[in-house]
């Protein structure tokens, strides 16, 4: 579990540094890139809702160890916001977090809840970042 937290922390720091560095650049996602990014956010939002449900439920029932779920919630929300800002790098970071998480769990249900959303969202954000890059490449003018 510690490796997941370290991987999430590293991904957040790297993406935050990229977002701060690119602060002046305005990233505009249109068409498929925007749709893929929104789908990625929805998946991470569903995972965040599960973390909130588990964390709040455990803490309200008197088990303060439920705060651990709130750490995962904060990491998922931060990764989602940073991936929205830098879709290509965010997609790669989410895929790495998902792979590390996938290796940590043996239960299929835990893999689905913990590793599924970052892997799928990572693929969606990666696709959005690639589509944005392909739109930014100027096309050859056939009249030349």
């Amino acid at each position: 579990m510690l490796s997941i937290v370290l991987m999430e922390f590293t991904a957040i720091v790297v993406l935050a540094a990229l977002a701060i560095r690119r602060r002046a650049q305005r990233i505009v996602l249109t068409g498929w890139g925007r749709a893929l990014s929104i789908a990625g956010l929805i998946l991470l939002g569903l995972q965040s809702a599960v973390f909130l449900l588990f964390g709040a439920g455990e803490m309200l029932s008197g088990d303060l160890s439920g705060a651990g779920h709130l750490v995962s919630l904060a990491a998922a929300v931060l990764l989602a916001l940073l991936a929205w800002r830098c879709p290509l790098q965010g997609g790669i970071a989410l895929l790495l977090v998902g792979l590390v998480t996938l290796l940590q769990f043996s239960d299929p249900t835990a893999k689905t809840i913990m590793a599924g959303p970052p892997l799928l969202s990572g693929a969606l954000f990666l696709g959005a970042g690639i589509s944005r890059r392909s739109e930014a490449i100027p096309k050859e003018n056939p009249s030349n």
Side-chain angles (χ1 to χ4, degrees), residues 1-142:
M1 195 68 165
L2 181 63
S3 61
I4 296 170
V5 173
L6 289 175
M7 185 63 185
E8 289 174 338
F9 178 74
T10 304
I12 288 168
V13 168
V14 169
L15 286 175
L18 283 171
I20 290 169
R21 195 171 134 239
R22 294 181 178 185
R23 182 177 28 157
Q25 297 175 356
R26 176 90 171 121
I27 296 176
V28 178
L29 292 171
T30 59
W32 281 105
R34 185 171 179 85
L36 291 173
S37 293
I38 290 171
L41 284 178
I42 290 171
L43 285 172
L44 289 174
L46 290 173
Q47 183 188 35
S48 297
V50 169
F51 288 148
L52 182 62
L53 179 69
F54 287 170
E58 288 180 16
M59 290 177 66
L60 290 175
S61 69
D63 185 8
L64 295 180
S65 67
H69 294 294
L70 300 180
V71 172
S72 298
L73 170 67
V77 169
L78 283 172
L79 282 172
L81 293 174
L82 291 169
W84 179 263
R85 182 75 174 119
C86 304
L88 183 66
Q89 296 85 356
I92 293 169
L94 283 166
L95 283 172
L96 290 174
V97 167
L99 286 173
V100 168
T101 306
L102 188 66
L103 296 174
Q104 294 294 316
F105 293 99
S106 59
D107 180 44
T109 304
K111 284 184 178 183
T112 302
I113 293 171
M114 297 294 291
L119 286 171
L120 293 174
S121 293
L124 292 169
F125 275 111
L126 187 62
I130 290 171
S131 75
R132 186 183 67 82
R133 283 190 177 247
S134 65
E135 290 172 2
I137 297 173
K139 306 264 192 242
E140 285 286 328
N141 190 354

